[in-house]
Amino acid sequence: MDRIVVEGGVPLEGRIEISGAKNACLALMPAALLSEEPLTLTNAPLLSDIRTMTALLQSLGVEVSGLQGGHVLAMSGASVDNHTADYDIVRKMRASILVLGPMLARYGHATVSLPGGCAIGARPVDLHLRALEAMGAELDLREGYVHARAPGGRLKGADFTFPLVSVGATENALLAATLAEGTTILRNAAREPEIADLARCLRAMGARIEGEGTSEITIEGRDSLHGATYPVIADRIELGTYMLAPAITGGRVELVGGSRELVAAFADKLEAAGVDIEESADGLVVSRRNGPLKAVDVRTEPFPGFPTDLQAQMMALLCVAEGKSKLEEMIFENRFMHAPELIRMGASIDVHGGTATVTGVERLKGAPVMATDLRASVSLVLAGLAAEGETQVKRVYHLDRGYERLEEKLRACGARIRREPDDG
Ligand code: EPZ
């Protein structure tokens, strides 16, 4: 296993290109199951989660080519011959459940392993299942698998209200509804940019969808979809993470391909903390030349609110901001695993349930640290960039799930960061 070693204290200066969005790509890839014709995604990120979804689709019979160093992913659902998503792949990544809706919609039956809990919380899939049931699916949960069947071989359009906002459940229902008989209305749908990206891609494949980006999406089912070539949207969480790099170290970095509308609520908080953000011809420029950072309160919410996927990274910044900041995590019940590790670096943080109170300290100090999820791990890299001395972040495989060429991108801005083997 590898570790990342960061020597802190260098103000970052330079340009970072934002990659395609992991979470958009993970929802777009299962769309290949909806058509006999090929779906080609451009601007796909080179990440281990994308390789896991590739392996899952291949196990179902989807032919996948590309992505060896390039960012093009060509998928053909012409010869899908297996309708069971096996536990061995699904357990690696919760987004695997997104093959259920499209498989059921196209073949009338599908069997998918239940993904189980994960480090950040229990994360059930009941909403995915309830939306599909509303479309007529008959579900049987046996031996850790969902066995799903559409009576008569086809799902039926439905008017369904999500009892709470779920990104994944909205995506699964949207994918399924494109081939259902009749019209589906999804109410209280998630409004994340990744949902809008999925809707645009499905429309390029011939689907009839209206209202994406709002909480009510209407889908008129088609008999079949055709192939398409579609570019994956920029990764707003990678964007937000790298916006924090010059914010926490001081300096100035241009985020190429970024746009404010992708991270508006987050950008507002960053400005309130004393960071400058300007739009440029190629993206966004973030800088902090002088002056201390100031405490701000943050509460995570579904889009367009402050994203839970940037809470850990924001906490790293607030550890060195003057005053007391309150962070409330409203989406997941166990998403403060980075707090004890940041405390090991000298931060002052009190966690009570879903609320963390951070009292800014003048400086963090390097330490060996480790986290159990992707965003927590990257928050430790950010803390390490600002800390005095050397920080070693262990369990780098978490970072490889969501950050393409992390060390290379940061090094290009002057960061002293490297990857090395870790036997400990
Ligand atoms: C997506 O997860 C993202 N993953 C997550 O990013 C992100 O944190 C999350 O949305 C919230 O923005 C992908 O897109 C692959 P949800 P998802 O369904 O779809 C509860 C990262 O770091 N819920 O919107 O699984 C759930 O437990 C990852 O990149 C149910 O109760 O999130 C949570 O409390 C981590 N029943 C809330 O809803 C369900 O059936 C929102 O979860 C589904 C969800």
Side-chain angles (χ1 to χ4, degrees):
M1 213 178 289
D2 290 348
R3 66 182 167 206
I4 297 269
V5 180
V6 189
E7 285 167 51
V10 183
L12 297 193
E13 299 277 343
R15 280 161 68 90
I16 295 180
E17 264 188 48
I18 302 306
S19 298
K22 167 183 80 98
N23 288 345
C25 196
L26 288 174
L28 293 168
M29 291 172 72
L33 289 163
L34 289 169
S35 173
E36 289 217 333
E37 294 179 20
L39 171 63
T40 300
L41 298 176
T42 58
N43 198 34
L46 289 165
L47 297 169
S48 62
D49 271 10
I50 301 304
R51 285 190 284 273
T52 303
M53 184 59 87
T54 300
L56 174 58
L57 292 175
Q58 283 172 328
S59 78
L60 304 173
V62 175
E63 282 173 32
V64 187
S65 61
L67 210 69
Q68 285 112 17
H71 292 91
V72 177
L73 198 55
M75 296 166 289
S76 165
S79 46
V80 171
D81 53 0
N82 170 29
H83 305 133
T84 300
D86 200 76
Y87 174 68
D88 276 339
I89 302 186
V90 174
R91 71 184 165 83
K92 292 188 190 156
M93 192 180 67
R94 292 183 46 79
S96 306
I97 191 75
L98 294 177
V99 300
L100 178 61
M103 257 202 302
L104 182 59
R106 179 154 160 225
Y107 300 102
H109 63 272
T111 301
V112 177
S113 170
L114 286 164
C118 73
I120 60 177
R123 296 179 82 186
V125 291
D126 56 317
L127 302 175
H128 299 240
L129 304 185
R130 281 165 71 178
L132 294 173
E133 266 177 336
M135 289 184 227
E138 289 172 357
L139 306 177
D140 185 12
L141 272 54
R142 271 186 282 127
E143 290 143 6
Y145 282 78
V146 185
H147 300 261
R149 191 160 281 284
R154 192 160 180 203
L155 292 172
K156 298 212 163 27
D159 187 333
F160 182 74
T161 304
F162 289 99
L164 66 93
V165 178
S166 161
V167 176
T170 302
E171 289 165 347
N172 229 336
L174 177 57
L175 284 157
T178 57
L179 290 183
E181 194 184 329
T183 303
T184 298
I185 303 175
L186 301 175
R187 302 179 197 270
N188 199 24
R191 290 181 280 165
E192 269 66 4
E194 292 76 21
I195 307 272
D197 207 40
L198 175 60
R200 285 190 296 265
C201 174
L202 291 169
R203 221 166 14 231
M205 295 173 74
R208 298 225 174 104
I209 302 170
E210 276 172 27
E212 76 275 10
T214 76
S215 55
E216 189 178 310
I217 307 176
T218 305
I219 307 112
E220 206 187 298
R222 309 293 312 267
D223 291 339
S224 65
L225 297 185
H226 53 72
T229 296
Y230 186 80
V232 180
I233 193 176
D235 194 316
R236 66 195 166 96
I237 306 302
E238 190 197 28
L239 170 64
T241 302
Y242 289 131
M243 287 169 77
L244 283 163
I248 198 167
T249 62
R252 181 182 190 274
V253 172
E254 181 167 26
L255 291 317
V256 178
S259 73
R260 187 161 180 133
E261 62 180 10
L262 286 175
V263 287
F266 166 77
D268 290 348
K269 290 292 177 185
L270 217 51
E271 282 173 338
V275 177
D276 293 324
I277 303 171
E278 284 164 53
E279 289 179 84
S280 67
D282 294 340
L284 288 179
V285 177
V286 176
S287 59
R288 185 171 68 83
R289 293 291 185 191
N290 303 300
L293 289 162
K294 294 182 283 276
V296 289
D297 293 341
V298 169
R299 170 196 279 245
T300 65
E301 282 168 354
F303 194 86
F306 190 102
T308 173
D309 289 347
L310 285 171
Q311 176 261 109
Q313 302 91 311
M314 188 72 181
M315 186 188 282
L317 181 84
L318 297 175
C319 286
V320 290
E322 252 175 34
K324 249 188 215 318
S325 306
K326 188 165 89 173
L327 284 109
E328 289 176 276
E329 174 53 57
M330 308 299 287
I331 310 292
F332 293 112
E333 66 268 30
N334 184 28
R335 213 174 191 187
F336 285 135
M337 279 96 60
H338 39 287
E341 301 299 300
L342 290 167
I343 291 170
R344 299 186 61 249
M345 297 178 71
S348 169
I349 306 166
D350 277 319
V351 176
H352 287 288
T355 303
T357 307
V358 181
T359 309
V361 296
E362 203 164 309
R363 174 160 299 120
L364 294 173
K365 299 221 162 58
V369 286
M370 176 160 88
T372 44
D373 85 277
L374 166 61
R375 310 300 173 190
S377 300
V378 85
S379 78
L380 300 173
V381 172
L382 289 170
L385 290 172
E388 201 175 273
E390 186 181 282
T391 298
Q392 295 177 12
V393 183
K394 293 165 180 275
R395 299 206 179 156
V396 165
Y397 61 86
H398 289 301
L399 291 168
D400 294 335
R401 292 185 67 167
Y403 292 91
E404 181 182 314
R405 297 181 288 109
L406 172 91
E407 312 92 275
E408 200 183 302
K409 289 188 183 190
L410 288 170
R411 230 174 3 236
C413 298
R416 286 181 296 210
I417 179 168
R418 61 181 192 276
R419 179 185 290 244
E420 56 184 43
D422 180 26
D423 307 323

